[in-house]
Coordinates of all heavy atoms in Angstrom, one line a residue:
M1 N 256.2 13.6 243.7 CA 256.6 15.0 243.9 C 257.9 15.3 243.2 O 258.1 16.4 242.5 CB 256.7 15.2 245.4 CG 256.9 16.7 245.8 SD 255.4 17.7 245.2 CE 255.8 19.3 245.8
K2 N 258.8 14.4 243.3 CA 260.1 14.6 242.7 C 260.0 14.8 241.1 O 260.6 15.6 240.5 CB 261.0 13.4 242.9 CG 262.3 13.8 243.6 CD 263.2 12.6 243.9 CE 264.4 13.1 244.7 NZ 265.2 11.9 245.1
R3 N 259.1 13.9 240.6 CA 258.9 13.9 239.2 C 258.3 15.3 238.7 O 258.7 15.8 237.6 CB 257.8 12.8 238.9 CG 257.9 12.4 237.4 CD 256.8 11.4 237.1 NE 257.2 10.8 235.8 CZ 257.6 9.6 235.6 NH1 257.8 8.8 236.7 NH2 257.9 9.1 234.5
I4 N 257.4 15.8 239.4 CA 256.8 17.1 239.1 C 257.9 18.2 239.0 O 258.0 19.0 238.1 CB 255.7 17.5 240.1 CG1 254.5 16.5 239.9 CG2 255.2 18.9 239.8 CD1 253.5 16.6 241.0
L5 N 258.8 18.2 240.0 CA 259.9 19.2 240.0 C 260.7 19.0 238.8 O 261.1 20.0 238.2 CB 260.7 19.0 241.3 CG 260.0 19.5 242.6 CD1 260.9 19.2 243.8 CD2 259.8 21.0 242.4
V6 N 261.0 17.8 238.4 CA 261.9 17.6 237.2 C 261.2 18.1 236.0 O 261.9 18.8 235.2 CB 262.2 16.1 237.1 CG1 262.9 15.8 235.7 CG2 263.2 15.6 238.2
V7 N 259.9 17.9 235.8 CA 259.2 18.4 234.7 C 259.2 19.9 234.6 O 259.5 20.5 233.6 CB 257.8 17.8 234.7 CG1 256.9 18.5 233.6 CG2 257.8 16.3 234.4
L8 N 259.0 20.5 235.8 CA 259.0 22.0 235.8 C 260.4 22.5 235.4 O 260.5 23.5 234.7 CB 258.6 22.5 237.2 CG 257.1 22.4 237.6 CD1 256.9 22.8 239.0 CD2 256.3 23.2 236.6
F9 N 261.4 21.9 235.9 CA 262.8 22.3 235.7 C 263.1 22.3 234.2 O 263.6 23.2 233.6 CB 263.7 21.4 236.5 CG 265.2 21.8 236.4 CD1 265.6 23.0 236.9 CD2 266.1 21.0 235.7 CE1 266.9 23.4 236.8 CE2 267.4 21.4 235.6 CZ 267.8 22.6 236.2
C10 N 262.7 21.1 233.6 CA 262.9 20.9 232.1 C 262.2 21.9 231.3 O 262.7 22.5 230.3 CB 262.6 19.5 231.7 SG 263.7 18.3 232.4
T11 N 260.9 22.1 231.6 CA 260.1 23.0 230.7 C 260.6 24.4 230.9 O 260.5 25.3 230.0 CB 258.6 22.9 231.0 OG1 258.4 23.1 232.4 CG2 258.0 21.6 230.6
G12 N 261.2 24.7 232.1 CA 261.7 26.1 232.3 C 262.9 26.3 231.4 O 263.2 27.4 231.0
L13 N 263.7 25.3 231.2 CA 264.9 25.5 230.4 C 264.7 25.5 228.9 O 265.4 26.1 228.2 CB 265.9 24.3 230.7 CG 266.7 24.4 232.0 CD1 267.6 23.2 232.2 CD2 267.5 25.7 232.0
L14 N 263.6 24.8 228.5 CA 263.4 24.7 227.1 C 263.3 26.0 226.3 O 264.0 26.1 225.3 CB 262.1 23.8 226.8 CG 262.4 22.3 226.6 CD1 261.1 21.6 226.4 CD2 263.3 22.1 225.4
P15 N 262.5 26.9 226.7 CA 262.4 28.2 226.0 C 263.8 28.9 225.8 O 264.1 29.3 224.7 CB 261.5 29.0 226.8 CG 260.7 28.1 227.6 CD 261.6 27.0 227.9
A16 N 264.6 28.8 226.8 CA 265.9 29.5 226.7 C 266.7 28.8 225.7 O 267.4 29.5 224.9 CB 266.6 29.4 228.1
A17 N 266.7 27.5 225.6 CA 267.5 26.8 224.6 C 267.0 27.0 223.2 O 267.7 27.2 222.3 CB 267.4 25.3 224.9
A18 N 265.6 27.1 223.1 CA 265.0 27.4 221.8 C 265.4 28.8 221.3 O 265.5 29.0 220.1 CB 263.5 27.2 221.9
W19 N 265.5 29.7 222.2 CA 265.8 31.1 221.8 C 267.3 31.4 221.7 O 267.6 32.5 221.3 CB 265.1 32.1 222.7 CG 263.6 32.0 222.7 CD1 262.9 31.5 221.6 CD2 262.7 32.3 223.7 NE1 261.5 31.5 221.9 CE2 261.4 32.0 223.2 CE3 262.8 32.8 225.0 CZ2 260.2 32.2 224.0 CZ3 261.7 33.1 225.7 CH2 260.4 32.8 225.2
A20 N 268.1 30.5 222.1 CA 269.5 30.7 222.0 C 269.8 31.0 220.5 O 269.5 30.3 219.6 CB 270.3 29.5 222.4
A21 N 270.4 32.2 220.3 CA 270.6 32.6 218.9 C 272.0 32.9 218.5 O 272.8 33.3 219.4 CB 269.7 33.8 218.6
Q22 N 272.3 32.8 217.3 CA 273.6 33.3 216.8 C 273.5 34.8 216.7 O 272.5 35.4 216.1 CB 273.8 32.7 215.4 CG 274.2 31.3 215.3 CD 275.6 31.1 215.9 OE1 276.5 31.8 215.5 NE2 275.8 30.3 216.9
K23 N 274.5 35.4 217.3 CA 274.5 36.9 217.2 C 275.9 37.3 216.7 O 276.8 36.4 216.7 CB 274.3 37.5 218.6 CG 272.9 37.4 219.0 CD 272.6 38.4 220.1 CE 271.1 38.5 220.4 NZ 270.8 39.3 221.6
S24 N 276.1 38.5 216.3 CA 277.4 38.9 216.0 C 277.6 40.3 216.5 O 276.7 41.1 216.7 CB 277.7 38.8 214.5 OG 277.0 39.8 213.8
V25 N 278.9 40.6 216.8 CA 279.2 41.9 217.3 C 280.4 42.4 216.6 O 281.3 41.6 216.2 CB 279.5 41.9 218.9 CG1 280.7 41.0 219.2 CG2 279.6 43.2 219.5
T26 N 280.4 43.7 216.2 CA 281.6 44.3 215.6 C 282.4 45.0 216.6 O 281.9 45.8 217.4 CB 281.1 45.3 214.5 OG1 280.3 44.6 213.6 CG2 282.3 45.9 213.7
L27 N 283.7 44.7 216.6 CA 284.6 45.3 217.6 C 285.6 46.2 217.0 O 286.2 45.8 215.9 CB 285.3 44.3 218.4 CG 284.4 43.3 219.2 CD1 285.3 42.3 219.9 CD2 283.6 44.0 220.3
D28 N 285.9 47.4 217.5 CA 287.0 48.2 217.1 C 288.2 47.8 217.9 O 288.2 47.7 219.1 CB 286.7 49.7 217.4 CG 285.7 50.3 216.5 OD1 285.7 49.9 215.3 OD2 284.9 51.1 217.0
V29 N 289.3 47.4 217.2 CA 290.5 47.0 217.9 C 291.6 47.8 217.3 O 292.2 47.5 216.3 CB 290.8 45.5 217.6 CG1 291.9 45.0 218.6 CG2 289.6 44.6 217.9
S30 N 291.9 49.0 217.9 CA 292.8 49.9 217.4 C 294.3 49.4 217.5 O 295.2 49.8 216.9 CB 292.7 51.3 218.1 OG 292.8 51.1 219.5
G31 N 294.5 48.4 218.4 CA 295.8 47.9 218.7 C 296.3 46.9 217.6 O 297.5 46.4 217.7
M32 N 295.5 46.6 216.6 CA 296.0 45.7 215.5 C 297.0 46.5 214.6 O 296.5 47.3 213.7 CB 294.9 45.2 214.7 CG 294.0 44.2 215.5 SD 293.0 43.2 214.4 CE 291.8 44.3 213.8
T33 N 298.3 46.4 214.8 CA 299.2 47.2 214.1 C 300.0 46.5 213.0 O 300.6 47.1 212.2 CB 300.2 47.8 215.0 OG1 300.8 46.8 215.8 CG2 299.6 48.8 216.0
C34 N 299.8 45.2 212.9 CA 300.5 44.4 211.8 C 299.6 43.2 211.4 O 298.7 42.8 212.2 CB 301.9 44.0 212.1 SG 302.0 42.5 213.1
P35 N 299.8 42.7 210.3 CA 298.9 41.6 209.8 C 298.8 40.4 210.7 O 297.9 39.6 210.5 CB 299.4 41.3 208.4 CG 300.1 42.5 208.0 CD 300.8 43.0 209.3
T36 N 299.8 40.2 211.5 CA 299.7 38.9 212.4 C 298.9 39.1 213.6 O 298.5 38.2 214.3 CB 301.1 38.4 212.7 OG1 301.8 39.4 213.4 CG2 301.9 38.0 211.5
C37 N 298.7 40.4 214.0 CA 297.8 40.6 215.2 C 296.5 40.0 215.1 O 296.1 39.2 216.0 CB 297.6 42.1 215.4 SG 299.1 43.1 215.9
P38 N 295.8 40.2 214.0 CA 294.4 39.5 213.9 C 294.5 38.0 214.0 O 293.5 37.4 214.5 CB 293.9 40.0 212.6 CG 294.9 40.8 211.9 CD 296.0 41.1 212.9
I39 N 295.6 37.4 213.6 CA 295.7 35.9 213.7 C 295.7 35.5 215.1 O 295.0 34.6 215.5 CB 297.0 35.5 212.9 CG1 296.8 35.8 211.4 CG2 297.1 34.0 213.1 CD1 298.1 35.6 210.6
T40 N 296.5 36.2 215.9 CA 296.5 35.9 217.4 C 295.2 36.1 218.0 O 294.7 35.2 218.8 CB 297.5 36.9 218.1 OG1 298.7 36.9 217.3 CG2 297.8 36.5 219.5
I41 N 294.5 37.2 217.7 CA 293.2 37.5 218.3 C 292.2 36.4 217.9 O 291.4 35.9 218.7 CB 292.7 38.9 217.9 CG1 293.7 39.9 218.3 CG2 291.3 39.1 218.4 CD1 293.4 41.3 217.7
K42 N 292.2 36.1 216.6 CA 291.3 35.1 216.1 C 291.4 33.7 216.8 O 290.5 33.1 217.2 CB 291.5 34.9 214.6 CG 290.4 34.3 213.8 CD 290.7 34.4 212.3 CE 289.6 33.7 211.5 NZ 289.7 33.9 210.1
K43 N 292.7 33.3 216.9 CA 293.0 32.0 217.6 C 292.4 32.0 219.0 O 291.8 31.0 219.4 CB 294.5 31.8 217.6 CG 295.0 30.9 216.5 CD 296.5 30.6 216.9 CE 297.2 30.0 215.7 NZ 298.7 29.9 216.0
T44 N 292.7 33.1 219.7 CA 292.2 33.2 221.1 C 290.7 33.1 221.2 O 290.1 32.4 222.0 CB 292.8 34.4 221.7 OG1 294.2 34.4 221.6 CG2 292.3 34.6 223.2
L45 N 290.0 33.9 220.3 CA 288.6 34.0 220.4 C 287.9 32.7 220.0 O 286.9 32.3 220.6 CB 288.1 35.1 219.5 CG 288.4 36.5 220.0 CD1 287.8 37.6 219.1 CD2 287.8 36.8 221.4
L46 N 288.5 32.0 219.0 CA 287.8 30.8 218.6 C 287.9 29.7 219.6 O 287.2 28.7 219.6 CB 288.4 30.3 217.3 CG 288.0 31.1 216.0 CD1 288.8 30.7 214.8 CD2 286.5 31.0 215.8
K47 N 288.8 29.8 220.6 CA 288.9 28.9 221.7 C 287.9 29.2 222.8 O 287.7 28.4 223.7 CB 290.4 28.9 222.3 CG 291.4 28.1 221.6 CD 292.6 28.0 222.4 CE 293.8 28.4 221.5 NZ 295.0 28.8 222.3
Q48 N 287.4 30.4 222.7 CA 286.4 30.8 223.8 C 285.1 30.1 223.6 O 284.5 30.1 222.5 CB 286.3 32.3 223.7 CG 285.5 32.9 224.9 CD 285.5 34.4 224.9 OE1 286.4 35.0 224.4 NE2 284.5 35.0 225.5
L49 N 284.5 29.7 224.7 CA 283.2 29.0 224.7 C 282.1 29.9 224.1 O 282.0 31.1 224.5 CB 282.8 28.6 226.1 CG 281.4 27.9 226.2 CD1 281.6 26.5 225.7 CD2 280.9 28.0 227.6
G50 N 281.4 29.5 223.1 CA 280.3 30.2 222.5 C 280.7 31.0 221.3 O 279.8 31.4 220.5
V51 N 282.0 31.2 221.0 CA 282.4 31.9 219.8 C 282.4 31.0 218.6 O 283.0 29.9 218.7 CB 283.8 32.6 220.0 CG1 284.3 33.2 218.7 CG2 283.7 33.6 221.1
T52 N 281.6 31.4 217.6 CA 281.5 30.4 216.4 C 282.2 30.9 215.2 O 282.4 30.2 214.2 CB 280.0 30.2 216.1 OG1 279.4 31.5 215.9 CG2 279.3 29.5 217.3
G53 N 282.6 32.2 215.2 CA 283.3 32.7 214.0 C 283.9 34.0 214.2 O 283.4 34.8 215.0
V54 N 285.0 34.3 213.5 CA 285.7 35.5 213.6 C 286.1 36.0 212.2 O 286.8 35.3 211.5 CB 287.0 35.5 214.5 CG1 287.6 36.8 214.6 CG2 286.6 35.0 215.9
T55 N 285.6 37.2 211.9 CA 286.0 37.8 210.6 C 286.8 39.0 210.9 O 286.4 39.9 211.7 CB 284.8 38.1 209.7 OG1 284.0 37.0 209.7 CG2 285.2 38.6 208.3
V56 N 288.0 39.1 210.3 CA 288.9 40.3 210.6 C 288.8 41.2 209.4 O 289.0 40.8 208.2 CB 290.3 39.8 210.8 CG1 291.2 41.0 211.0 CG2 290.4 38.8 211.9
H57 N 288.6 42.5 209.7 CA 288.8 43.6 208.7 C 290.0 44.4 209.2 O 289.8 45.4 209.9 CB 287.5 44.4 208.6 CG 286.3 43.6 208.2 ND1 286.1 43.1 207.0 CD2 285.2 43.2 209.0 CE1 285.0 42.4 206.9 NE2 284.4 42.5 208.1
Y58 N 291.1 43.9 208.8 CA 292.4 44.5 209.3 C 292.5 46.0 208.9 O 292.9 46.9 209.7 CB 293.6 43.7 208.7 CG 294.9 44.3 209.1 CD1 295.3 44.5 210.4 CD2 295.7 44.8 208.1 CE1 296.5 45.0 210.8 CE2 297.0 45.4 208.5 CZ 297.3 45.5 209.8 OH 298.5 46.1 210.1
Q59 N 292.1 46.4 207.7 CA 292.2 47.7 207.2 C 291.4 48.7 208.1 O 291.8 49.8 208.4 CB 291.7 47.9 205.7 CG 292.8 48.2 204.7 CD 293.7 47.0 204.4 OE1 293.2 45.9 204.4 NE2 294.9 47.2 204.1
K60 N 290.2 48.2 208.5 CA 289.3 49.0 209.3 C 289.6 48.9 210.8 O 289.0 49.5 211.6 CB 287.9 48.7 209.0 CG 287.4 49.1 207.6 CD 285.9 49.1 207.5 CE 285.3 47.8 207.2 NZ 283.8 47.8 207.2
K61 N 290.5 48.0 211.1 CA 290.8 47.6 212.5 C 289.6 47.2 213.2 O 289.3 47.6 214.3 CB 291.5 48.7 213.2 CG 292.9 49.1 212.6 CD 293.8 49.8 213.5 CE 295.0 50.4 212.9 NZ 295.8 49.4 212.2
E62 N 288.9 46.3 212.5 CA 287.6 45.8 213.1 C 287.6 44.3 213.1 O 288.2 43.6 212.2 CB 286.5 46.2 212.2 CG 285.8 47.5 212.6 CD 284.6 47.9 211.7 OE1 284.1 47.0 210.9 OE2 284.2 49.1 211.7
L63 N 286.9 43.7 214.0 CA 286.6 42.3 214.1 C 285.1 42.1 214.1 O 284.4 42.8 214.8 CB 287.1 41.7 215.4 CG 288.5 41.5 215.7 CD1 288.6 40.9 217.1 CD2 289.2 40.7 214.7
V64 N 284.6 41.1 213.4 CA 283.2 40.8 213.5 C 283.2 39.4 214.1 O 283.8 38.4 213.5 CB 282.5 40.8 212.2 CG1 281.0 40.4 212.3 CG2 282.6 42.2 211.5
V65 N 282.7 39.3 215.3 CA 282.7 38.0 216.0 C 281.3 37.4 216.1 O 280.3 38.1 216.6 CB 283.2 38.2 217.5 CG1 283.3 36.9 218.2 CG2 284.6 38.9 217.4
A66 N 281.1 36.2 215.6 CA 279.8 35.5 215.7 C 279.8 34.7 217.0 O 280.8 34.0 217.3 CB 279.6 34.7 214.5
F67 N 278.7 34.7 217.7 CA 278.7 33.9 218.9 C 277.3 33.4 219.3 O 276.3 34.0 218.7 CB 279.3 34.7 220.1 CG 278.5 36.0 220.4 CD1 277.5 36.0 221.4 CD2 278.7 37.2 219.7 CE1 276.8 37.2 221.7 CE2 278.0 38.3 220.0 CZ 277.1 38.3 221.0
D68 N 277.2 32.5 220.1 CA 276.0 31.9 220.6 C 275.6 32.7 221.9 O 276.4 32.6 222.9 CB 276.2 30.4 220.9 CG 274.9 29.7 221.4 OD1 274.0 30.4 221.9 OD2 274.9 28.5 221.3
D69 N 274.5 33.4 221.9 CA 274.3 34.3 223.0 C 273.8 33.6 224.2 O 273.6 34.2 225.3 CB 273.3 35.4 222.6 CG 271.9 35.0 222.5 OD1 271.6 33.8 222.4 OD2 271.0 35.9 222.4
A70 N 273.6 32.3 224.2 CA 273.3 31.5 225.3 C 274.6 31.1 226.1 O 274.6 30.7 227.3 CB 272.6 30.2 225.0
K71 N 275.7 31.3 225.4 CA 277.0 30.8 226.0 C 278.0 32.0 226.3 O 278.8 31.9 227.2 CB 277.7 29.8 225.1 CG 277.0 28.5 225.0 CD 277.6 27.6 224.1 CE 276.8 26.3 223.9 NZ 277.2 25.6 222.6
T72 N 277.8 33.1 225.6 CA 278.8 34.2 225.8 C 278.1 35.5 225.4 O 277.0 35.5 225.0 CB 280.1 34.0 225.1 OG1 281.1 34.9 225.6 CG2 280.0 34.1 223.6
N73 N 278.8 36.6 225.6 CA 278.3 37.9 225.2 C 279.4 38.8 224.8 O 280.6 38.5 225.0 CB 277.5 38.5 226.4 CG 278.3 38.5 227.7 OD1 279.5 39.0 227.7 ND2 277.8 38.0 228.8
A74 N 279.0 40.0 224.3 CA 280.0 40.9 223.8 C 281.0 41.3 224.9 O 282.2 41.5 224.6 CB 279.3 42.2 223.3
E75 N 280.6 41.5 226.1 CA 281.5 41.9 227.2 C 282.6 40.9 227.4 O 283.8 41.2 227.6 CB 280.7 42.1 228.5 CG 281.3 43.0 229.5 CD 280.7 42.9 230.8 OE1 279.5 42.5 231.0 OE2 281.4 43.2 231.8
A76 N 282.2 39.6 227.4 CA 283.2 38.5 227.6 C 284.2 38.5 226.5 O 285.4 38.2 226.7 CB 282.5 37.2 227.7
I77 N 283.7 38.8 225.3 CA 284.6 38.8 224.1 C 285.6 40.0 224.1 O 286.8 39.8 223.9 CB 283.7 38.8 222.8 CG1 283.0 37.5 222.7 CG2 284.6 39.0 221.6 CD1 281.8 37.5 221.7
T78 N 285.1 41.1 224.5 CA 286.1 42.3 224.6 C 287.1 42.0 225.7 O 288.2 42.4 225.6 CB 285.3 43.6 224.9 OG1 284.6 43.6 226.1 CG2 284.4 44.0 223.7
K79 N 286.6 41.4 226.8 CA 287.6 41.1 227.9 C 288.6 40.1 227.4 O 289.8 40.2 227.8 CB 286.8 40.4 229.1 CG 286.3 41.4 230.1 CD 285.7 40.7 231.3 CE 285.0 41.7 232.2 NZ 284.0 41.0 233.1
S80 N 288.2 39.2 226.6 CA 289.1 38.2 226.1 C 290.2 38.8 225.2 O 291.4 38.5 225.3 CB 288.3 37.2 225.3 OG 289.1 36.1 224.9
T81 N 289.8 39.8 224.3 CA 290.8 40.4 223.5 C 291.8 41.3 224.3 O 293.0 41.3 224.1 CB 290.2 41.3 222.4 OG1 289.5 42.4 222.9 CG2 289.3 40.5 221.5
A82 N 291.2 41.9 225.4 CA 292.0 42.7 226.2 C 293.0 41.9 227.0 O 294.2 42.3 227.2 CB 291.1 43.5 227.2
S83 N 292.6 40.7 227.4 CA 293.5 39.8 228.2 C 294.8 39.4 227.4 O 295.8 39.0 228.0 CB 292.8 38.6 228.6 OG 292.6 37.7 227.6
I84 N 294.7 39.5 226.1 CA 295.9 39.2 225.3 C 296.6 40.4 224.7 O 297.4 40.4 223.8 CB 295.6 38.1 224.2 CG1 294.5 38.6 223.3 CG2 295.3 36.8 224.8 CD1 294.4 37.9 221.9
G85 N 296.2 41.6 225.2 CA 296.9 42.8 224.9 C 296.2 43.6 223.8 O 296.8 44.6 223.2
F86 N 294.9 43.3 223.4 CA 294.2 44.0 222.4 C 292.9 44.5 222.9 O 291.9 43.9 222.7 CB 294.0 43.2 221.2 CG 295.3 42.8 220.5 CD1 295.8 41.5 220.7 CD2 295.9 43.6 219.6 CE1 297.0 41.1 220.1 CE2 297.1 43.2 219.0 CZ 297.6 42.0 219.2
P87 N 292.9 45.7 223.7 CA 291.7 46.2 224.1 C 290.7 46.5 223.0 O 291.2 47.0 221.9 CB 292.1 47.5 224.8 CG 293.5 47.4 225.1 CD 294.1 46.5 224.0
S88 N 289.5 46.2 223.1 CA 288.5 46.4 222.0 C 287.3 47.0 222.6 O 286.9 46.9 223.8 CB 288.2 45.1 221.4 OG 287.6 44.2 222.3
T89 N 286.6 47.7 221.7 CA 285.3 48.3 222.1 C 284.2 47.9 221.1 O 284.6 47.7 219.9 CB 285.4 49.9 222.2 OG1 285.9 50.3 220.9 CG2 286.2 50.3 223.3
V90 N 283.0 47.8 221.5 CA 281.9 47.5 220.6 C 281.7 48.7 219.7 O 281.5 49.8 220.2 CB 280.7 47.1 221.4 CG1 279.5 46.8 220.4 CG2 280.9 45.9 222.3
A91 N 281.7 48.4 218.4 CA 281.5 49.5 217.4 C 280.0 49.9 217.3 O 279.2 49.0 217.5 CB 282.0 49.0 216.0
R92 N 279.7 51.1 217.2 CA 278.3 51.6 217.1 C 277.9 51.6 215.6 O 278.7 52.0 214.8 CB 278.2 53.0 217.7 CG 278.5 53.0 219.2 CD 277.3 52.5 220.0 NE 277.7 51.9 221.3 CZ 276.9 51.3 222.1 NH1 275.7 51.0 221.8 NH2 277.4 50.9 223.3
Ligands
LIG1 CU1 300.9 42.5 215.0

């Protein structure tokens, strides 16, 4: 009986793992006022679980954040930038 439960548990998890995908989100960060701001933001985000890459477009005050959607999401990323003083919104 125990064995059957384990098998069900494992097969239940497999599809989620297989579908975990790299996604990216573009964020407007109007608070980036000098060239060192993005460096701070980038450092913080790259320490966050699931974030795999950060590209900064300082001129446009935009960040493109690549992440693993099984581990994090756009909301967690915007919260993270806000926690260090850079509120951000998802760009449309
Ligand atoms: Cu700055």
